[in-house]
Amino acid sequence: MDKLRLLFFLMTLSVLSFAQVTGVTISGIVKDKMIKTGLPYVNIVVKTEKEAAFVSGTITDEEGRFSVANIKPGNYKLEISIAGYHSDNQALFIGSLSEFLEIPTIELEPALSQDETKIEEVVVTSSKKNELSNALDKKTYSLADNISQSGGSVLQSMQNLPGVTVQDGKVQLRGNDKVTVLIDGKQTALTGFGSQSGLDNIPASAIDKIEIINNPSSKYDANGNAGIINIIMKKNKQNGWNGKIGFTYGTGSYWVRKENLPTIRPQYTITPKINPSVSLNYRKNKVNIFFQADDLYTQTLNKNEFVTRTYDDGTIINSQLKRNRNTNYLTTKAGIDWNIDAQNTLTVSGLYGSEKIIDRGDQPFFNGDFSQRLRLWQFLEDELKTTVMGTASYQHKFKEAGHLLNVGFNYTFHREDEKYFYDNYLPNSTGTDAFKLLSDEQVYDFNVDYVKPLKYGRIETGIKLRNRNIPTNMNFIPGTNSVLDANAGGWATYKELIPAVYGNYIFENEKWEAELGVRLEYVRVQYDVNPNHPTYKSDSYNYTQPFPNLRLAYKLNDHNKLSIFYNRRVDRPNEVDIRIFPKYDDAEIIKVGNPQLRPQFTNSIELGHKYNWDNGYLYSALYHRFANGTITRISSIVPESTLIYAVFQNAGKSYNSGLEMIWNQKVSKVYSFNINGNIYRNQINAFSVENLYPQPTVFSAGRETAISGNIKLNNIFKLSKDLNAQVTAVYLAPDIIPQGRIGSRFSMDLGIKKSIQSGKGELFLNATDLLNTMVIRKKIQGNGFSYTNDDYYETQVVRLGYNYKF
């Protein structure tokens, strides 16, 4: 009850603001109507409609072309005049869907005398630009505004974003973790191709802003039915030398929240977090050189689960899984932009990432009354993940502003070098299992994108080709009384080929906004398996599928807008989802992939309403998603054993429906707030599947439904010109998970930022999970067993940091 009172109290506080969208550039050409040649030195003036006030202006070049930048959305009049010609007046509507608008060719008729040259006014209406979903498809957040999570990882920073929740180390949008994460608009091995991984280790200091795209257009890959999160890395383009250096130090896990079971090694406390960062940029004439390096070292109580398992025969087993983790993640990025001339730019960049993880863990098992230790399992995991990425991109700017041709090539090499050592202490024996896994992933991406601005929108089209190859080798050395079979190792190779083509048309006038697109993808996946594997054989699949998208909005008036979205997307199994090599999740829960897993196709629709006023807005969205071939992990036990095997399966049909609301309000110069609420209903229809590994086991489940939701309160205080503060509170309601339920969760974050050294320096202090209330509680029901799980992992961290810009 106290938590709920605190939650409602915080509803009087504020939030991260949506990033402002820059102005629009209009362009065109003026010609002589008689001889059809371009007219130089023509005056182009943009004026407001009602006051006829000057907004901006320019003159045409020698070819008769003009370009006027930074015009805010609204309705204007365009005046075109030059001595010796009749003046021309045009109604000019500037929308918010396109950064560039191309005015159709303007033809001026020669005048018989200067007296005949006159300017006429046009009556137009006003349209106001505001912060949320102006582009219909995405919301953009600057991490500089996220004071309460500064100095942490990207995953931690995302926890404060409206519409985003984090569960089991994965990002969810509207209660769904089928999210595709991009880096600078591209899928990379840093975050997984078509999936999400490693977000908890990427330093937030390397990131400029984050885009959340709930309803992606056809120009994006079709993967990820819940939507896309695009992480945009920092890159400065100021003239001369400039850059930024920073350092953050923090500590977490200040005390033991729940005492260890007997005979277990101590859990981490007072864990350090260290994050130095540097960003350098040199720009002169046609060349821009950039370099960035960020290192994030952390010690973390990564997991501290207390589990009680109950079997149908009445057996009860109590255990604790504690994992102390050391992580060092280094990312460096360097490159050069070469502006060959006014129309052509070449960018070449490289990225290197190194992620070193060492886990030391313990898991004792006791009987029902804790009077006897049945087993002690201790482990050491040593993982090194290395990513090397090279990118070359060429951009040709046509003479019309915003008329672009982009050509890009991207190569990624990603190596996973993982070693595992597990000591198994039984009452009468001791054994050690040893694994070594080596996986080398190579990805080639080639894309061509074309953009043509129109007076009322734009056309986008392009092609993309991806070739991906992942050979994996597992060497398994079983110890005494090993629970895994001696044939668990071997080799397997994943091959993926995806050519795609897309087309997109965006239209906007004073009342209507629309986007219609389709992406056609061909996918061929081949998974070759060691022929000696006792269970799995080589498998493959391919398909050619269209993925359409539709977005339509109608402006009722200056303050109200209705929108509707439709999307068809796919979630293809990742290589790790079908990987045949078993891996310990804990000593008696073993995860293994399934080469027979197939893609999950999802259709989604959404109806939204936006109401805005001078100091705020309210956005509401009703959404419904229905999926076929739902991918989920199914746990089952092998007869005459207590081992649980968790295998991904296609579980049939599932549904997700809900209501999301975002209320943003500036109360005063000192205080503003943002409240984001989401309530949804999840349903998984009845299904029956067969887990083949290590021996065939049929699992059946009835229909499961649950109503859940979350509320997020972000509050920002501008206490003075140089001092800002942020308070964030998050409540997550109980929800269903595969074969069970997860309990409610609550946390609160606090941050303070002070500008010093005439704005060049910045100090910040923040605390995550300030009240130390975040505990993950689960209840799982399987065939022949059930268990409860309470995870007291580290959530409370205090950080102090300093940044300096030069």
Side-chain angles (χ1 to χ4, degrees):
M1 196 52 137
D2 290 338
K3 293 177 183 177
L4 289 176
R5 287 183 186 141
L6 177 62
L7 194 65
F8 285 113
F9 166 74
L10 288 169
M11 290 180 72
T12 62
L13 307 175
S14 169
V15 70
L16 287 165
S17 61
F18 289 102
Q20 295 287 336
V21 183
T22 56
V24 175
T25 297
I26 62 169
S27 62
I29 187 169
V30 182
K31 293 184 176 182
D32 184 300
K33 188 174 182 178
M34 302 297 294
I35 59 176
K36 308 298 183 183
T37 59
L39 287 175
Y41 313 117
V42 177
N43 295 306
I44 309 295
V45 178
V46 179
K47 292 184 177 181
T48 60
E49 175 262 324
K50 292 183 179 178
E51 300 85 5
F54 176 83
V55 174
S56 187
T58 187
I59 60 173
T60 59
D61 62 16
E62 292 183 357
E63 296 180 354
R65 297 210 57 86
F66 67 89
S67 179
V68 184
N70 296 320
I71 307 298
K72 293 182 179 180
N75 285 305
Y76 302 87
K77 57 183 178 181
L78 187 65
E79 297 181 352
I80 307 98
S81 63
I82 187 173
Y85 287 83
H86 290 289
S87 296
D88 188 18
N89 301 314
Q90 293 192 10
L92 178 62
F93 170 73
I94 305 293
S96 54
L97 298 187
S98 300
E99 294 182 35
F100 300 92
L101 294 180
E102 174 71 6
I103 306 299
T105 300
I106 300 169
E107 295 183 338
L108 296 185
E109 186 175 354
L112 297 178
S113 68
Q114 276 193 321
D115 294 338
E116 295 185 36
T117 304
K118 56 185 179 180
I119 296 174
E120 299 176 357
E121 292 190 353
V122 214
V123 177
V124 290
T125 57
S126 173
S127 173
K128 185 177 180 180
K129 180 179 185 178
N130 31 65
E131 299 168 327
L132 175 65
S133 291
N134 277 334
L136 282 178
D137 63 339
K138 65 186 177 184
K139 301 179 280 287
T140 305
Y141 304 90
S142 169
L143 287 198
D145 298 326
N146 193 1
I147 308 170
S148 65
Q149 290 284 1
S150 296
S153 70
V154 172
L155 184 69
Q156 292 163 346
S157 295
M158 287 184 183
Q159 295 182 88
N160 285 353
L161 301 185
V164 176
T165 55
V166 176
Q167 181 171 300
D168 291 335
K170 284 193 169 185
V171 176
Q172 294 185 340
L173 292 176
R174 297 172 173 175
N176 189 327
D177 66 3
K178 296 296 187 291
V179 178
T180 295
V181 179
L182 309 178
I183 301 286
D184 291 333
K186 305 180 185 69
Q187 293 187 20
T188 77
L190 283 177
T191 56
F193 283 86
S195 65
Q196 47 171 304
S197 62
L199 292 175
D200 200 25
N201 296 318
I202 298 177
S205 56
I207 308 306
D208 179 27
K209 55 189 177 182
I210 294 176
E211 296 176 339
I212 297 176
I213 308 170
N214 291 112
N215 298 280
S217 73
S218 63
K219 69 180 179 181
Y220 295 100
D221 287 343
N223 217 48
N225 77 74
I228 290 173
I229 292 178
N230 185 25
I231 299 170
I232 300 174
M233 301 187 76
K234 291 178 178 176
K235 183 179 176 183
N236 205 327
K237 288 191 175 182
Q238 297 179 12
N239 286 325
W241 280 104
N242 55 85
K244 184 177 181 180
I245 58 173
F247 183 82
T248 304
Y249 180 82
T251 53
S253 196
Y254 293 98
W255 58 80
V256 175
R257 291 204 277 177
K258 186 167 183 176
E259 293 294 334
N260 290 332
L261 296 183
T263 72
I264 199 170
R265 293 174 294 184
Q267 58 184 262
Y268 269 170
T269 54
I270 317 298
T271 52
K273 328 284 180 185
I274 303 170
N275 177 210
S277 63
V278 60
S279 176
L280 298 173
N281 196 89
Y282 178 73
R283 182 179 181 88
K284 186 175 182 180
N285 299 328
K286 295 183 176 183
V287 175
N288 179 60
I289 302 172
F290 53 91
F291 171 81
Q292 181 178 328
D294 299 80
D295 189 78
L296 180 62
Y297 173 79
T298 64
Q299 292 183 10
T300 310
L301 180 60
N302 179 260
K303 188 179 287 292
N304 193 23
E305 292 180 336
F306 291 80
V307 179
T308 297
R309 270 184 286 166
T310 304
Y311 295 87
D312 287 356
D313 64 2
T315 301
I316 297 176
I317 297 178
N318 294 294
S319 68
Q320 176 192 358
L321 175 59
K322 178 223 67 184
R323 184 161 62 207
N324 292 332
R325 171 169 288 184
N326 289 21
T327 302
N328 194 87
Y329 198 109
L330 171 69
T331 58
T332 59
K333 182 178 181 181
I336 182 170
D337 299 318
W338 178 29
N339 298 312
I340 303 169
D341 53 36
Q343 274 73 49
N344 298 281
T345 303
L346 178 66
T347 298
V348 179
S349 65
L351 183 145
Y352 172 81
S354 175
E355 180 182 3
K356 178 71 171 179
I357 300 176
I358 294 184
D359 284 340
R360 295 179 176 88
D362 303 73
Q363 189 175 23
F365 294 82
F366 288 84
N367 60 357
D369 61 3
F370 295 93
S371 61
Q372 180 185 4
R373 193 186 80 181
L374 308 173
R375 178 184 180 192
L376 173 63
W377 191 67
Q378 294 182 331
F379 63 90
L380 169 66
E381 296 188 19
D382 185 347
E383 303 180 36
L384 177 61
K385 298 181 180 181
T386 305
T387 303
V388 178
M389 191 166 70
T391 300
S393 60
Y394 165 76
Q395 182 179 83
H396 175 72
K397 297 179 181 178
F398 294 88
K399 293 181 179 180
E400 306 93 335
H403 188 188
L404 304 174
L405 175 68
N406 294 307
V407 181
F409 175 77
N410 191 76
Y411 169 76
T412 300
F413 172 81
H414 179 70
R415 167 168 286 182
E416 292 184 38
D417 187 352
E418 305 177 9
K419 304 179 186 69
Y420 307 86
F421 304 94
Y422 304 97
D423 293 325
N424 187 23
Y425 298 95
L426 296 169
N428 299 314
S429 66
T430 301
T432 299
D433 286 353
F435 291 80
K436 178 176 173 59
L437 184 143
L438 185 65
S439 173
D440 285 343
E441 177 177 9
Q442 294 191 75
V443 186
Y444 299 87
D445 278 322
F446 175 76
N447 63 278
V448 178
D449 298 282
Y450 174 78
V451 182
K452 169 66 174 174
L454 306 171
K455 184 177 182 180
Y456 295 107
R458 67 185 184 275
I459 295 173
E460 302 171 333
T461 187
I463 59 173
K464 182 169 185 177
L465 176 65
R466 169 172 297 154
N467 188 25
R468 191 169 169 223
N469 189 60
I470 312 174
T472 304
N473 283 278
M474 168 76 88
N475 183 23
F476 173 49
I477 306 171
T480 304
N481 297 318
S482 174
V483 298
L484 296 183
D485 61 89
N487 296 318
W491 63 266
T493 301
Y494 176 92
K495 300 176 183 177
E496 177 185 273
L497 177 67
I498 308 178
V501 60
Y502 75 89
N504 220 27
Y505 172 62
I506 294 94
F507 170 82
E508 181 178 23
N509 64 19
E510 298 172 15
K511 286 293 184 180
W512 291 95
E513 299 174 357
E515 179 173 335
L516 178 64
V518 64
R519 186 180 189 89
L520 184 66
E521 282 191 351
Y522 169 76
V523 173
R524 186 181 71 202
V525 171
Q526 174 71 39
Y527 191 61
D528 295 326
V529 173
N530 176 4
N532 298 323
H533 196 278
T535 302
Y536 292 127
K537 305 301 178 186
S538 297
D539 208 341
S540 65
Y541 68 85
N542 65 82
Y543 65 79
T544 302
Q545 294 277 349
F547 297 95
N549 71 284
L550 170 68
R551 297 181 286 167
L552 188 65
Y554 180 70
K555 303 170 190 175
L556 300 172
N557 51 46
D558 286 350
H559 300 287
N560 289 275
K561 182 166 69 175
L562 289 172
S563 56
I564 187 169
F565 305 82
Y566 167 74
N567 236 302
R568 183 175 188 263
R569 299 186 66 77
V570 64
D571 288 282
R572 294 182 292 271
N574 300 305
E575 185 268 338
V576 293
D577 298 337
I578 64 177
R579 186 179 287 179
I580 60 174
F581 308 117
K583 180 179 181 180
Y584 285 113
D585 195 35
D586 73 15
E588 297 193 355
I589 300 179
I590 297 168
K591 291 183 177 180
V592 67
N594 178 11
Q596 296 179 333
L597 201 62
R598 293 297 182 261
Q600 166 187 320
F601 294 93
T602 303
N603 290 274
S604 62
I605 55 175
E606 177 178 329
L607 179 64
H609 174 253
K610 170 80 175 296
Y611 177 70
N612 65 80
W613 52 94
D614 288 341
N615 294 315
Y617 58 81
L618 177 67
Y619 181 75
S620 308
L622 281 168
Y623 58 89
H624 177 66
R625 289 189 289 250
F626 44 102
N628 196 18
T630 305
I631 296 176
T632 188
R633 194 180 285 276
I634 301 299
S635 298
S636 60
I637 60 173
V638 176
E640 301 179 1
S641 170
T642 59
L643 294 179
I644 298 172
Y645 288 86
V647 183
F648 274 114
Q649 294 281 5
N650 292 108
K653 294 184 178 180
S654 63
Y655 306 88
N656 171 246
S657 307
L659 170 65
E660 182 180 43
M661 301 184 73
I662 300 175
W663 176 22
N664 190 82
Q665 181 68 52
K666 181 179 179 181
V667 178
S668 66
K669 293 182 179 179
V670 175
Y671 169 68
S672 60
F673 68 85
N674 178 294
I675 300 175
N676 169 226
N678 184 25
I679 183 169
Y680 55 87
R681 179 181 183 272
N682 280 336
Q683 176 179 316
I684 301 177
N685 284 0
F687 66 92
S688 180
V689 295
E690 183 180 35
N691 282 353
L692 295 180
Y693 189 88
Q695 63 187 66
T697 304
V698 175
F699 174 81
S700 299
R703 189 180 73 173
E704 278 194 275
T705 61
I707 295 177
S708 185
N710 54 75
I711 185 168
K712 187 170 298 186
L713 310 156
N714 281 302
N715 316 275
I716 198 123
F717 302 87
K718 295 187 179 297
L719 303 176
S720 69
K721 179 182 178 182
D722 301 323
L723 182 63
N724 295 330
Q726 180 186 349
V727 179
T728 303
V730 180
Y731 173 76
L732 306 176
D735 201 357
I736 60 172
I737 55 177
Q739 295 179 266
R741 293 180 177 268
I742 186 171
S744 63
R745 289 140 289 161
F746 171 78
S747 68
M748 184 174 72
D749 300 339
L750 173 67
I752 300 173
K753 181 171 67 175
K754 170 70 174 175
S755 179
I756 58 177
Q757 298 170 300
S758 302
K760 292 186 175 181
E762 177 183 278
L763 281 171
F764 63 85
L765 174 68
N766 59 45
T768 62
D769 195 17
L770 188 63
L771 305 180
N772 215 13
T773 52
M774 181 65 78
V775 178
I776 307 298
R777 305 182 191 275
K778 299 177 183 177
K779 292 183 179 181
I780 303 295
Q781 180 66 54
N783 279 353
F785 72 97
S786 65
Y787 69 84
T788 61
N789 178 329
D790 295 344
D791 191 355
Y792 294 87
Y793 70 109
E794 175 187 313
T795 56
Q796 188 180 63
V797 177
V798 175
R799 297 184 184 88
L800 176 66
Y802 169 74
N803 295 314
Y804 180 78
K805 294 182 289 186
F806 58 91

